[in-house]
Coordinates of all heavy atoms in Angstrom, one line a residue:
M1 N 10.1 -11.6 15.0 CA 10.5 -10.3 14.6 C 9.4 -9.7 13.7 O 9.3 -8.4 13.8 CB 11.9 -10.4 13.9 CG 13.0 -10.8 14.9 SD 14.7 -10.6 14.3 CE 14.8 -8.8 14.0
S2 N 8.9 -10.4 12.8 CA 7.8 -9.9 12.0 C 6.6 -9.3 12.8 O 6.0 -8.3 12.4 CB 7.4 -10.8 11.0 OG 6.8 -12.0 11.6
L3 N 6.3 -9.9 13.9 CA 5.2 -9.4 14.8 C 5.6 -8.0 15.4 O 4.7 -7.3 15.6 CB 5.0 -10.4 15.9 CG 4.3 -11.7 15.5 CD1 4.1 -12.7 16.7 CD2 3.0 -11.5 14.8
A4 N 6.9 -7.8 15.5 CA 7.3 -6.5 16.1 C 7.6 -5.5 14.9 O 7.9 -4.4 15.3 CB 8.6 -6.7 16.8
G5 N 7.3 -5.9 13.7 CA 7.4 -4.9 12.6 C 8.9 -4.8 12.1 O 9.2 -3.8 11.5
L6 N 9.7 -5.7 12.5 CA 11.2 -5.6 12.1 C 11.3 -6.6 11.0 O 10.5 -7.6 10.8 CB 12.0 -6.1 13.3 CG 11.9 -5.1 14.5 CD1 12.7 -5.7 15.7 CD2 12.4 -3.8 14.2
S7 N 12.5 -6.5 10.3 CA 12.8 -7.4 9.1 C 13.1 -8.8 9.7 O 13.6 -8.9 10.8 CB 13.8 -6.8 8.3 OG 15.1 -6.7 9.0
D8 N 12.9 -9.7 8.8 CA 13.2 -11.1 9.1 C 14.7 -11.4 9.3 O 15.5 -10.7 8.6 CB 12.8 -12.0 8.1 CG 11.1 -12.1 8.1 OD1 10.5 -11.8 9.1 OD2 10.7 -12.3 6.9
P9 N 15.2 -12.3 10.1 CA 16.6 -12.5 10.3 C 17.2 -13.0 8.9 O 16.5 -13.8 8.2 CB 16.7 -13.6 11.3 CG 15.3 -13.7 11.9 CD 14.4 -13.1 11.0
E10 N 18.5 -12.6 8.7 CA 19.2 -13.2 7.5 C 20.2 -14.1 7.9 O 21.1 -13.7 8.7 CB 19.7 -12.0 6.7 CG 18.6 -11.1 6.1 CD 19.2 -9.9 5.4 OE1 20.3 -10.1 4.7 OE2 18.6 -8.9 5.4
Y11 N 20.3 -15.2 7.3 CA 21.3 -16.2 7.6 C 22.2 -16.4 6.4 O 21.8 -16.4 5.3 CB 20.7 -17.7 7.8 CG 19.8 -17.6 9.0 CD1 18.4 -17.4 8.9 CD2 20.3 -18.0 10.3 CE1 17.6 -17.5 10.0 CE2 19.4 -17.9 11.4 CZ 18.1 -17.7 11.2 OH 17.2 -17.7 12.3
T12 N 23.6 -16.4 6.7 CA 24.6 -16.7 5.6 C 25.4 -17.7 6.2 O 26.0 -17.7 7.3 CB 25.4 -15.4 5.4 OG1 24.5 -14.4 5.1 CG2 26.3 -15.7 4.3
Q13 N 25.6 -18.9 5.4 CA 26.3 -20.0 5.8 C 27.6 -20.2 4.9 O 27.4 -20.2 3.7 CB 25.5 -21.3 5.9 CG 26.2 -22.4 6.4 CD 25.3 -23.7 6.6 OE1 24.2 -23.6 6.4 NE2 25.9 -24.8 6.9
T14 N 28.7 -20.4 5.5 CA 30.0 -20.7 4.8 C 30.4 -22.1 5.2 O 29.8 -22.6 6.1 CB 31.0 -19.7 5.1 OG1 31.4 -19.7 6.4 CG2 30.6 -18.3 4.6
A15 N 31.5 -22.5 4.8 CA 32.0 -23.9 5.1 C 32.3 -23.9 6.6 O 32.2 -25.0 7.2 CB 33.2 -24.2 4.3
G16 N 32.8 -22.8 7.2 CA 33.1 -22.9 8.5 C 32.4 -22.0 9.5 O 32.7 -22.0 10.8
S17 N 31.3 -21.4 9.1 CA 30.6 -20.5 10.0 C 29.2 -20.2 9.5 O 28.7 -20.5 8.4 CB 31.3 -19.2 10.3 OG 31.2 -18.4 9.0
V18 N 28.4 -19.7 10.4 CA 27.1 -19.2 10.2 C 27.0 -17.8 10.7 O 27.3 -17.6 11.8 CB 25.9 -20.1 10.8 CG1 24.6 -19.5 10.6 CG2 26.1 -21.5 10.3
R19 N 26.4 -16.9 9.8 CA 26.2 -15.5 10.3 C 24.8 -15.2 10.3 O 24.1 -15.5 9.4 CB 26.9 -14.6 9.2 CG 26.8 -13.2 9.6 CD 27.5 -12.4 8.5 NE 27.2 -11.0 8.8 CZ 27.1 -10.0 7.8 NH1 27.3 -10.3 6.5 NH2 26.8 -8.7 8.1
L20 N 24.4 -14.6 11.4 CA 23.0 -14.2 11.6 C 22.9 -12.7 11.8 O 23.6 -12.1 12.6 CB 22.4 -14.9 12.9 CG 21.1 -14.4 13.4 CD1 20.0 -14.8 12.4 CD2 20.8 -15.1 14.7
L21 N 22.1 -12.1 10.9 CA 22.0 -10.7 10.9 C 20.5 -10.3 11.3 O 19.6 -10.7 10.8 CB 22.2 -10.1 9.4 CG 22.1 -8.6 9.3 CD1 23.1 -7.9 10.1 CD2 22.2 -8.3 7.9
L22 N 20.5 -9.6 12.5 CA 19.2 -9.1 13.1 C 19.2 -7.6 12.9 O 20.1 -6.9 13.3 CB 19.2 -9.5 14.6 CG 19.2 -11.0 14.8 CD1 19.3 -11.2 16.4 CD2 18.1 -11.8 14.2
S23 N 18.1 -7.1 12.3 CA 18.0 -5.7 12.1 C 17.0 -5.1 13.1 O 16.0 -5.6 13.4 CB 17.6 -5.4 10.7 OG 17.4 -4.0 10.5
Y24 N 17.4 -3.8 13.6 CA 16.5 -3.1 14.4 C 15.6 -2.1 13.7 O 14.7 -1.5 14.3 CB 17.3 -2.3 15.4 CG 18.3 -1.3 14.9 CD1 17.7 0.0 14.7 CD2 19.5 -1.6 14.5 CE1 18.5 1.0 14.1 CE2 20.2 -0.6 13.8 CZ 19.8 0.7 13.8 OH 20.6 1.7 13.1
R25 N 15.7 -2.0 12.3 CA 15.0 -1.0 11.6 C 13.7 -1.6 11.3 O 13.5 -2.8 10.9 CB 15.6 -0.8 10.3 CG 17.0 0.0 10.5 CD 17.5 0.5 9.2 NE 18.7 1.3 9.3 CZ 19.9 0.9 9.0 NH1 20.1 -0.2 8.4 NH2 20.9 1.8 9.2
P26 N 12.6 -0.8 11.5 CA 11.2 -1.2 11.2 C 11.0 -1.5 9.7 O 11.7 -0.8 8.8 CB 10.3 -0.1 11.6 CG 11.3 1.1 11.9 CD 12.6 0.6 12.0
V27 N 10.2 -2.3 9.2 CA 10.0 -2.7 7.9 C 8.6 -2.2 7.4 O 7.5 -2.4 8.1 CB 10.1 -4.1 7.7 CG1 9.7 -4.6 6.3 CG2 11.4 -4.6 8.0
D28 N 8.5 -1.6 6.2 CA 7.3 -1.2 5.6 C 6.8 -2.5 4.9 O 7.3 -2.7 3.7 CB 7.4 0.0 4.7 CG 6.1 0.5 4.0 OD1 5.2 -0.3 4.2 OD2 6.2 1.6 3.5
R29 N 5.8 -3.2 5.4 CA 5.4 -4.5 4.8 C 4.8 -4.3 3.5 O 4.9 -5.1 2.6 CB 4.5 -5.1 5.8 CG 5.0 -5.7 7.0 CD 6.0 -6.8 6.8 NE 6.7 -7.0 8.1 CZ 7.8 -7.8 8.1 NH1 8.3 -8.2 7.1 NH2 8.4 -8.0 9.3
E30 N 4.1 -3.2 3.3 CA 3.4 -2.8 2.0 C 4.4 -2.7 0.9 O 4.3 -3.2 -0.2 CB 2.5 -1.6 2.1 CG 1.8 -1.3 0.8 CD 0.9 0.0 1.0 OE1 0.3 0.1 2.0 OE2 1.0 0.8 0.1
L31 N 5.5 -1.9 1.3 CA 6.6 -1.7 0.3 C 7.4 -3.1 0.0 O 7.6 -3.3 -1.1 CB 7.7 -0.7 0.9 CG 8.9 -0.5 0.0 CD1 8.5 0.1 -1.4 CD2 9.8 0.3 0.8
E32 N 7.5 -3.9 1.1 CA 8.2 -5.1 0.8 C 7.4 -6.0 -0.1 O 8.0 -6.8 -0.9 CB 8.3 -5.9 2.1 CG 9.3 -5.3 3.1 CD 10.7 -5.7 2.8 OE1 11.0 -6.9 2.4 OE2 11.7 -4.8 3.0
Q33 N 6.1 -6.0 -0.1 CA 5.2 -6.8 -1.0 C 5.4 -6.2 -2.5 O 5.2 -7.0 -3.4 CB 3.8 -6.7 -0.6 CG 3.5 -7.4 0.8 CD 3.8 -8.9 0.7 OE1 3.6 -9.6 -0.3 NE2 4.3 -9.4 1.8
R34 N 5.5 -5.0 -2.7 CA 5.6 -4.4 -4.0 C 6.9 -4.7 -4.6 O 7.0 -4.7 -5.9 CB 5.4 -2.8 -3.9 CG 4.1 -2.4 -3.7 CD 3.8 -1.0 -4.1 NE 4.9 0.0 -3.8 CZ 4.9 0.7 -2.7 NH1 3.8 0.9 -2.0 NH2 5.9 1.6 -2.4
L35 N 8.0 -4.9 -3.9 CA 9.4 -4.9 -4.5 C 9.6 -6.4 -4.8 O 9.2 -7.3 -4.0 CB 10.4 -4.4 -3.4 CG 10.4 -2.9 -3.2 CD1 11.4 -2.6 -2.1 CD2 10.6 -2.1 -4.5
R36 N 10.4 -6.6 -5.8 CA 10.9 -8.0 -6.2 C 12.0 -8.3 -5.1 O 12.5 -7.5 -4.5 CB 11.4 -8.0 -7.5 CG 10.5 -7.8 -8.6 CD 11.1 -7.9 -9.9 NE 10.2 -8.2 -10.9 CZ 10.5 -8.5 -12.2 NH1 11.8 -8.3 -12.6 NH2 9.5 -8.8 -13.1
P37 N 12.2 -9.7 -4.9 CA 13.2 -10.0 -3.9 C 14.6 -9.5 -4.2 O 15.3 -9.0 -3.3 CB 13.3 -11.6 -4.0 CG 11.8 -11.9 -4.6 CD 11.4 -10.8 -5.5
G38 N 15.0 -9.4 -5.4 CA 16.3 -8.8 -5.8 C 16.4 -7.3 -5.4 O 17.5 -6.9 -5.0
A39 N 15.3 -6.6 -5.6 CA 15.2 -5.2 -5.3 C 15.3 -5.1 -3.8 O 16.0 -4.1 -3.3 CB 13.9 -4.5 -5.9
R40 N 14.7 -5.9 -3.0 CA 14.7 -5.9 -1.6 C 16.1 -6.0 -1.1 O 16.6 -5.4 -0.1 CB 13.8 -6.9 -0.9 CG 12.4 -6.4 -1.1 CD 11.5 -7.5 -0.2 NE 11.5 -8.8 -0.7 CZ 10.5 -9.4 -1.2 NH1 9.3 -8.8 -1.4 NH2 10.6 -10.7 -1.7
D41 N 16.9 -7.0 -1.8 CA 18.3 -7.2 -1.4 C 19.1 -6.1 -1.6 O 20.1 -5.7 -0.7 CB 18.8 -8.4 -2.1 CG 18.2 -9.7 -1.8 OD1 17.5 -9.9 -0.7 OD2 18.3 -10.7 -2.6
V42 N 18.9 -5.4 -2.7 CA 19.7 -4.2 -3.0 C 19.5 -3.0 -2.1 O 20.3 -2.4 -1.5 CB 19.4 -3.7 -4.5 CG1 20.0 -2.3 -4.7 CG2 19.9 -4.7 -5.5
L43 N 18.2 -2.8 -1.7 CA 17.8 -1.9 -0.8 C 18.4 -2.1 0.6 O 18.9 -1.2 1.3 CB 16.2 -1.7 -0.7 CG 15.7 -0.6 0.1 CD1 16.3 0.8 -0.3 CD2 14.3 -0.5 0.2
R44 N 18.4 -3.3 1.0 CA 19.0 -3.7 2.3 C 20.6 -3.4 2.3 O 21.1 -2.8 3.2 CB 18.7 -5.2 2.6 CG 17.4 -5.4 3.2 CD 17.3 -6.9 3.5 NE 15.8 -7.1 3.8 CZ 15.2 -8.2 3.1 NH1 15.8 -8.9 2.3 NH2 13.9 -8.3 3.4
A45 N 21.2 -3.8 1.1 CA 22.6 -3.5 1.0 C 22.9 -2.0 1.1 O 23.9 -1.6 1.8 CB 23.1 -4.1 -0.3
I46 N 22.1 -1.2 0.5 CA 22.3 0.3 0.6 C 22.0 0.8 1.9 O 22.8 1.6 2.4 CB 21.4 1.0 -0.5 CG1 21.9 0.7 -1.9 CG2 21.5 2.5 -0.3 CD1 21.0 1.2 -3.0
N47 N 21.1 0.3 2.6 CA 20.7 0.7 4.0 C 21.9 0.4 4.9 O 22.3 1.1 5.8 CB 19.4 0.0 4.5 CG 18.3 0.6 4.0 OD1 18.2 1.8 3.6 ND2 17.1 -0.1 3.9
E48 N 22.5 -0.8 4.8 CA 23.6 -1.3 5.6 C 24.9 -0.5 5.3 O 25.6 0.0 6.2 CB 24.0 -2.8 5.3 CG 22.9 -3.7 6.0 CD 23.2 -5.1 5.6 OE1 24.3 -5.5 5.2 OE2 22.3 -6.0 5.7
A49 N 25.2 -0.2 4.1 CA 26.4 0.5 3.7 C 26.3 2.0 3.7 O 27.2 2.8 3.8 CB 26.9 0.1 2.3
G50 N 25.1 2.5 3.5 CA 24.9 4.0 3.4 C 24.9 4.5 2.1 O 24.1 5.2 1.6
R51 N 25.8 4.0 1.2 CA 25.8 4.3 -0.3 C 26.6 3.2 -0.9 O 27.5 2.7 -0.3 CB 26.3 5.6 -0.6 CG 27.8 5.8 -0.2 CD 28.3 7.2 -0.5 NE 29.6 7.3 -0.6 CZ 30.4 8.4 -0.8 NH1 29.7 9.6 -0.9 NH2 31.6 8.4 -1.0
L52 N 26.3 2.8 -2.2 CA 26.9 1.8 -2.9 C 27.0 2.3 -4.4 O 26.1 2.9 -5.0 CB 26.2 0.6 -2.9 CG 26.0 -0.2 -1.6 CD1 25.1 -1.5 -1.8 CD2 27.4 -0.7 -1.2
S53 N 28.2 1.9 -5.0 CA 28.3 2.0 -6.4 C 27.5 0.9 -7.1 O 27.1 -0.1 -6.4 CB 29.7 1.9 -6.9 OG 30.2 0.7 -6.7
T54 N 27.4 0.9 -8.3 CA 26.6 -0.2 -9.0 C 27.4 -1.5 -8.8 O 26.9 -2.6 -8.6 CB 26.4 0.2 -10.5 OG1 25.7 1.4 -10.6 CG2 25.7 -0.9 -11.2
G55 N 28.7 -1.4 -9.0 CA 29.5 -2.7 -8.8 C 29.5 -3.1 -7.4 O 29.4 -4.4 -7.2
D56 N 29.5 -2.3 -6.4 CA 29.3 -2.6 -5.0 C 27.9 -3.4 -4.8 O 27.8 -4.4 -4.0 CB 29.5 -1.5 -4.0 CG 30.8 -1.0 -4.0 OD1 31.8 -1.6 -4.4 OD2 30.9 0.3 -3.6
A57 N 26.9 -2.9 -5.4 CA 25.5 -3.4 -5.3 C 25.5 -4.8 -5.9 O 24.9 -5.7 -5.3 CB 24.5 -2.6 -5.9
M58 N 26.2 -5.0 -7.1 CA 26.3 -6.3 -7.7 C 27.0 -7.3 -6.7 O 26.5 -8.4 -6.6 CB 27.1 -6.2 -9.0 CG 26.5 -5.4 -10.1 SD 27.6 -5.1 -11.4 CE 28.6 -6.6 -11.6
R59 N 28.1 -6.9 -6.2 CA 28.9 -7.8 -5.3 C 28.1 -8.1 -4.0 O 28.1 -9.2 -3.5 CB 30.2 -7.2 -5.0 CG 31.3 -7.3 -6.1 CD 32.6 -6.8 -5.8 NE 32.7 -5.4 -5.7 CZ 32.8 -4.5 -6.6 NH1 32.7 -5.0 -8.0 NH2 32.8 -3.2 -6.4
A60 N 27.5 -7.1 -3.4 CA 26.8 -7.3 -2.2 C 25.6 -8.3 -2.2 O 25.3 -9.0 -1.4 CB 26.3 -6.0 -1.6
T61 N 24.9 -8.2 -3.4 CA 23.7 -9.1 -3.6 C 24.1 -10.3 -4.5 O 23.1 -11.0 -4.8 CB 22.7 -8.2 -4.2 OG1 23.0 -7.6 -5.5 CG2 22.2 -7.1 -3.4
R62 N 25.2 -10.4 -5.0 CA 25.6 -11.5 -6.0 C 24.7 -11.5 -7.3 O 24.2 -12.6 -7.6 CB 25.6 -12.8 -5.3 CG 26.6 -12.9 -4.1 CD 26.6 -14.2 -3.4 NE 27.6 -14.2 -2.5 CZ 27.4 -14.8 -1.2 NH1 26.3 -15.2 -0.9 NH2 28.4 -14.6 -0.3
Q63 N 24.5 -10.4 -7.8 CA 23.6 -10.2 -9.0 C 24.5 -9.8 -10.2 O 25.5 -9.3 -10.0 CB 22.5 -9.2 -8.9 CG 21.5 -9.6 -7.7 CD 20.5 -8.5 -7.5 OE1 20.3 -7.6 -8.4 NE2 19.7 -8.5 -6.5
S64 N 24.0 -10.2 -11.4 CA 24.7 -9.7 -12.5 C 24.4 -8.1 -12.8 O 23.6 -7.6 -12.1 CB 24.2 -10.4 -13.8 OG 22.8 -10.0 -14.0
R65 N 25.3 -7.5 -13.6 CA 25.1 -6.1 -13.7 C 23.8 -5.8 -14.3 O 23.1 -4.8 -13.7 CB 26.3 -5.6 -14.7 CG 26.2 -4.0 -14.8 CD 27.3 -3.6 -15.6 NE 27.4 -2.2 -15.7 CZ 27.8 -1.3 -14.8 NH1 28.1 -1.7 -13.7 NH2 27.7 0.0 -15.0
P66 N 23.2 -6.4 -15.4 CA 21.9 -6.0 -15.8 C 20.8 -6.2 -14.8 O 19.9 -5.3 -14.6 CB 21.6 -6.9 -17.1 CG 23.0 -7.3 -17.5 CD 23.8 -7.4 -16.3
S67 N 20.8 -7.2 -13.9 CA 19.9 -7.5 -13.0 C 20.0 -6.4 -11.8 O 19.0 -5.9 -11.5 CB 20.1 -8.9 -12.3 OG 19.1 -9.1 -11.4
A68 N 21.2 -6.2 -11.4 CA 21.3 -5.1 -10.3 C 20.9 -3.7 -10.8 O 20.2 -3.0 -10.1 CB 22.9 -5.0 -10.0
L69 N 21.2 -3.4 -12.1 CA 20.7 -2.1 -12.7 C 19.2 -2.1 -12.8 O 18.6 -1.1 -12.4 CB 21.3 -1.9 -14.0 CG 22.7 -1.3 -14.0 CD1 23.4 -1.3 -15.4 CD2 22.8 0.1 -13.4
R70 N 18.5 -3.1 -13.1 CA 17.1 -3.2 -13.2 C 16.5 -2.9 -11.8 O 15.6 -2.2 -11.7 CB 16.7 -4.6 -13.7 CG 15.2 -4.7 -13.9 CD 14.7 -6.0 -14.6 NE 15.1 -7.2 -13.8 CZ 16.0 -8.0 -14.2 NH1 16.7 -7.9 -15.4 NH2 16.4 -9.0 -13.5
H71 N 17.1 -3.6 -10.8 CA 16.6 -3.4 -9.4 C 16.8 -2.0 -8.9 O 16.0 -1.4 -8.3 CB 17.1 -4.4 -8.5 CG 16.8 -5.8 -8.8 ND1 15.4 -6.2 -9.0 CD2 17.4 -6.9 -9.0 CE1 15.3 -7.5 -9.3 NE2 16.5 -8.0 -9.3
L72 N 18.1 -1.4 -9.2 CA 18.4 -0.1 -8.8 C 17.4 0.9 -9.4 O 17.0 1.8 -8.8 CB 19.8 0.3 -9.2 CG 20.8 -0.4 -8.3 CD1 22.2 -0.3 -9.0 CD2 20.9 0.2 -7.0
R73 N 17.1 0.7 -10.7 CA 16.3 1.6 -11.4 C 14.8 1.5 -10.9 O 14.1 2.5 -10.9 CB 16.3 1.5 -12.9 CG 17.6 1.9 -13.4 CD 17.7 1.9 -15.0 NE 19.0 2.3 -15.4 CZ 19.8 1.6 -16.2 NH1 19.4 0.4 -16.6 NH2 21.0 2.1 -16.5
A74 N 14.4 0.3 -10.5 CA 13.0 0.1 -10.0 C 12.9 0.9 -8.6 O 11.9 1.5 -8.3 CB 12.7 -1.4 -9.8
L75 N 14.0 0.7 -7.8 CA 14.0 1.5 -6.5 C 14.0 3.0 -6.7 O 13.4 3.7 -5.9 CB 15.2 1.0 -5.7 CG 15.2 -0.4 -5.2 CD1 16.6 -0.8 -4.7 CD2 14.1 -0.7 -4.1
E76 N 14.7 3.4 -7.7 CA 14.8 4.9 -8.0 C 13.3 5.3 -8.5 O 12.9 6.4 -8.0 CB 15.7 5.1 -9.1 CG 16.0 6.5 -9.5 CD 16.9 6.7 -10.5 OE1 17.1 5.9 -11.4 OE2 17.7 7.8 -10.4
A77 N 12.7 4.5 -9.3 CA 11.3 4.9 -9.7 C 10.4 4.9 -8.5 O 9.4 5.7 -8.6 CB 10.9 3.9 -10.8
E78 N 10.6 4.0 -7.5 CA 9.7 4.0 -6.3 C 10.0 5.2 -5.4 O 9.3 5.5 -4.5 CB 9.9 2.8 -5.5 CG 9.3 1.6 -6.1 CD 7.8 1.5 -5.8 OE1 7.4 2.2 -4.9 OE2 7.1 0.8 -6.6
G79 N 11.1 6.0 -5.7 CA 11.4 7.1 -5.0 C 12.2 6.8 -3.6 O 12.3 7.6 -2.7
L80 N 12.8 5.6 -3.7 CA 13.5 5.2 -2.4 C 15.0 5.5 -2.4 O 15.6 5.6 -1.4 CB 13.3 3.6 -2.3 CG 11.8 3.2 -2.1 CD1 11.8 1.6 -2.2 CD2 11.4 3.6 -0.8
I81 N 15.6 5.5 -3.7 CA 17.0 5.7 -3.8 C 17.3 6.8 -4.9 O 16.3 7.0 -5.6 CB 18.0 4.4 -4.0 CG1 17.5 3.9 -5.4 CG2 17.7 3.4 -2.9 CD1 18.4 2.7 -5.8
E82 N 18.5 7.3 -4.8 CA 18.9 8.3 -5.9 C 20.3 8.1 -6.3 O 21.1 7.5 -5.5 CB 18.6 9.7 -5.5 CG 19.5 10.2 -4.3 CD 19.2 11.5 -3.8 OE1 18.8 12.3 -4.7 OE2 19.3 11.9 -2.6
W83 N 20.5 8.3 -7.5 CA 21.9 8.3 -8.0 C 22.6 9.6 -7.9 O 22.1 10.6 -8.2 CB 21.9 7.8 -9.6 CG 23.1 7.6 -10.2 CD1 23.9 6.4 -10.2 CD2 23.8 8.5 -11.0 NE1 25.0 6.6 -10.9 CE2 24.9 7.9 -11.4 CE3 23.6 9.8 -11.4 CZ2 25.9 8.4 -12.3 CZ3 24.5 10.4 -12.3 CH2 25.7 9.7 -12.7
V84 N 23.8 9.5 -7.5 CA 24.6 10.7 -7.3 C 25.9 10.5 -8.1 O 26.7 9.6 -7.9 CB 25.1 10.9 -5.8 CG1 25.9 12.2 -5.7 CG2 23.8 11.0 -5.0
G85 N 26.1 11.5 -9.2 CA 27.2 11.4 -10.0 C 27.3 12.6 -11.0 O 26.2 13.3 -11.1
Q86 N 28.4 12.8 -11.6 CA 28.5 13.9 -12.5 C 28.1 13.7 -13.9 O 27.6 14.5 -14.7 CB 30.0 14.4 -12.5 CG 30.4 14.9 -11.2 CD 29.7 16.1 -10.7 OE1 29.4 17.1 -11.5 NE2 29.4 16.2 -9.5
S87 N 28.3 12.3 -14.3 CA 28.0 11.8 -15.7 C 27.7 10.3 -15.6 O 28.1 9.7 -14.7 CB 29.2 12.2 -16.7 OG 30.3 11.4 -16.4
A88 N 27.3 9.8 -16.7 CA 27.0 8.4 -16.8 C 28.2 7.6 -16.7 O 28.2 6.4 -16.2 CB 26.4 8.1 -18.2
K89 N 29.4 8.1 -16.9 CA 30.7 7.3 -16.9 C 31.5 7.8 -15.7 O 32.7 7.4 -15.5 CB 31.5 7.6 -18.1 CG 30.9 7.2 -19.4 CD 30.9 5.7 -19.6 CE 30.4 5.3 -21.0 NZ 30.5 4.0 -21.2
D90 N 30.9 8.4 -14.7 CA 31.6 8.9 -13.5 C 32.0 7.7 -12.6 O 31.2 7.0 -12.1 CB 30.7 9.8 -12.7 CG 31.4 10.4 -11.5 OD1 32.5 10.1 -11.2 OD2 30.7 11.3 -10.8
P91 N 33.3 7.4 -12.4 CA 33.7 6.3 -11.6 C 33.5 6.4 -10.2 O 33.5 5.5 -9.4 CB 35.3 6.2 -11.9 CG 35.6 7.6 -12.3 CD 34.4 8.3 -12.9
R92 N 33.1 7.7 -9.7 CA 32.8 7.9 -8.3 C 31.3 8.0 -8.0 O 31.0 8.2 -6.9 CB 33.5 9.2 -7.8 CG 35.0 9.2 -7.9 CD 35.7 10.5 -7.5 NE 35.2 11.6 -8.2 CZ 35.7 12.1 -9.5 NH1 36.8 11.4 -9.9 NH2 35.3 13.1 -10.1
A93 N 30.5 7.7 -9.0 CA 29.0 7.8 -8.8 C 28.6 6.6 -7.9 O 29.3 5.6 -7.7 CB 28.4 7.6 -10.2
Y94 N 27.5 6.9 -7.2 CA 27.0 5.9 -6.2 C 25.5 6.1 -6.1 O 25.0 7.1 -6.5 CB 27.7 6.1 -4.9 CG 27.5 7.5 -4.2 CD1 26.5 7.7 -3.4 CD2 28.4 8.4 -4.5 CE1 26.4 9.0 -2.9 CE2 28.3 9.8 -3.9 CZ 27.2 9.9 -3.0 OH 27.1 11.2 -2.5
W95 N 24.9 5.1 -5.5 CA 23.4 5.1 -5.2 C 23.3 5.3 -3.7 O 24.0 4.7 -2.9 CB 22.8 3.8 -5.6 CG 22.8 3.6 -7.0 CD1 23.9 2.9 -7.7 CD2 21.9 3.9 -8.0 NE1 23.6 2.9 -9.0 CE2 22.3 3.4 -9.2 CE3 20.6 4.5 -7.9 CZ2 21.6 3.6 -10.4 CZ3 19.8 4.7 -9.1 CH2 20.3 4.2 -10.3
K96 N 22.3 6.1 -3.2 CA 22.1 6.2 -1.8 C 20.6 6.3 -1.5 O 19.8 6.6 -2.4 CB 22.7 7.6 -1.3 CG 22.1 8.9 -1.8 CD 22.7 10.1 -1.1 CE 21.9 11.3 -1.5 NZ 22.1 12.4 -0.6
R97 N 20.3 6.2 -0.3 CA 18.9 6.2 0.1 C 18.3 7.6 0.1 O 19.0 8.6 0.5 CB 18.7 5.6 1.6 CG 17.4 5.4 2.1 CD 16.7 4.2 1.4 NE 15.2 4.3 1.7 CZ 14.7 3.5 2.5 NH1 15.3 2.5 3.1 NH2 13.3 3.5 2.6
R98 N 17.1 7.8 -0.5 CA 16.5 9.1 -0.5 C 15.5 9.2 0.7 O 14.7 8.3 0.9 CB 15.6 9.2 -1.8 CG 15.0 10.6 -1.8 CD 14.1 10.7 -3.1 NE 15.1 10.9 -4.2 CZ 14.7 10.7 -5.5 NH1 13.5 10.2 -5.7 NH2 15.6 10.8 -6.4
F99 N 15.8 10.3 1.5 CA 14.9 10.4 2.7 C 14.1 11.5 2.4 O 14.5 12.6 2.0 CB 15.8 10.7 3.9 CG 16.7 9.5 4.3 CD1 18.0 9.4 3.9 CD2 16.1 8.4 5.0 CE1 18.8 8.3 4.2 CE2 16.9 7.3 5.3 CZ 18.2 7.3 5.0
E100 N 12.8 11.4 2.8 CA 11.8 12.4 2.7 C 11.9 13.4 3.9 O 12.1 13.0 5.0 CB 10.4 11.9 2.6 CG 10.2 11.3 1.2 CD 10.1 9.7 1.3 OE1 9.9 9.2 2.3 OE2 10.7 9.1 0.3

């Protein structure tokens, strides 16, 4: 898949099953090298869901709140995602992919 410019397969194993996720989206290898693994996980979760709250990002990537926020802010600084909300305490606020 990497030879075709696609993301690597993702495996998730539970006690009773194995889940294989194959993505058809092309991957920017230079960007992948710049991002930390946790930030890549957050970006993939946002790509899959379309938009995520901070709590959803934490649950999807199994990260602590400070870690998830650090990765979200790094992705925002790279210009890849943006925060949408009315105030810092907005319960309906979410992160979404920024498209140029």
Side-chain angles (χ1 to χ4, degrees):
M1 291 192 63
S2 63
L3 290 176
L6 301 173
S7 62
D8 295 329
E10 294 181 34
Y11 298 91
T12 307
Q13 183 174 353
T14 64
S17 67
V18 175
R19 178 179 175 212
L20 171 63
L21 179 64
L22 302 174
S23 177
Y24 64 89
R25 292 191 176 109
V27 174
D28 182 349
R29 295 291 176 197
E30 182 181 317
L31 174 65
E32 288 278 324
Q33 294 296 326
R34 285 196 320 253
L35 296 177
R36 291 181 158 182
R40 286 191 295 250
D41 294 341
V42 171
L43 187 58
R44 283 187 193 120
I46 291 173
N47 282 334
E48 288 175 14
R51 67 183 202 182
L52 291 176
S53 68
T54 302
D56 292 337
M58 291 169 41
R59 285 184 287 281
T61 60
R62 296 184 180 135
Q63 296 178 11
S64 66
R65 184 173 182 80
S67 182
L69 280 171
R70 182 175 60 249
H71 295 307
L72 287 163
R73 290 187 182 123
L75 292 168
E76 184 179 35
E78 285 280 341
L80 299 171
I81 64 171
E82 63 184 329
W83 183 83
V84 178
Q86 299 296 318
S87 69
K89 301 282 185 179
D90 185 356
R92 294 176 305 270
Y94 59 90
W95 298 87
K96 69 174 188 161
R97 185 74 195 250
R98 178 179 289 163
F99 295 100
E100 288 102 33

